[in-house]
Amino acid sequence: QVQLVESGGGLVQAGGSLRLSCVASGSIVSINDMGWYRQAPGKQRELVASVTIGGSTNYADSVKGRFTISRDNAKNTVYLQMNSLKPEDTAVYYCNRVSIYKPYLRWGQGTQVTVSS
């Protein structure tokens, strides 16, 4: 099964930026739609951004206008550019498949994003 490895998180002040990367051990073309999810302490995991195999994107209202998702199919990598970060963006961020028909891939370890006020 495809393995997912997220990186790029860290500690940043409010208003700062981070760029997350998710590298898959296999072809993300075969996975089709991909997304970034996040889980804050005590909260459920939520989908914040998704990108189709053709490059169409969709965002949660809470990050719209601040986050940008992209993918490089040749590198089997999905990115999340996060600008104007807010303390409420603090969470562990994960990438995975976005599908109502197929199960999630095995979750990676995620990458911690902490935004200080």
Side-chain angles (χ1 to χ4, degrees):
Q1 193 180 40
V2 173
Q3 304 294 317
L4 303 168
V5 179
E6 301 93 349
S7 63
L11 173 63
V12 64
Q13 288 188 332
S17 298
L18 286 172
R19 189 192 195 206
L20 308 184
S21 298
C22 169
V23 180
S25 61
S27 171
I28 61 172
V29 172
S30 64
I31 299 172
N32 209 350
D33 299 352
M34 294 289 294
W36 281 96
Y37 300 76
R38 69 184 181 189
Q39 187 167 22
K43 295 188 176 181
Q44 287 191 330
R45 190 171 294 170
E46 62 172 342
L47 176 65
V48 297
S50 63
V51 58
T52 69
I53 191 171
S56 297
T57 59
N58 198 26
Y59 300 93
D61 287 344
S62 58
V63 306
K64 200 170 292 183
R66 300 187 298 119
F67 289 11
T68 302
I69 188 171
S70 61
R71 64 192 290 165
D72 186 334
N73 293 331
K75 294 183 178 181
N76 296 321
T77 302
V78 183
Y79 303 98
L80 186 68
Q81 177 67 44
M82 306 188 296
N83 299 328
S84 302
L85 283 161
K86 303 176 180 180
E88 50 264 44
D89 295 319
T90 295
V92 179
Y93 284 71
Y94 305 85
C95 67
N96 212 307
R97 163 186 283 150
V98 177
S99 174
I100 61 173
Y101 302 110
K102 296 183 178 181
Y104 291 121
L105 300 169
R106 182 176 297 176
W107 292 94
Q109 83 287 351
T111 186
Q112 175 72 49
V113 172
T114 303
V115 184
S116 63
S117 57

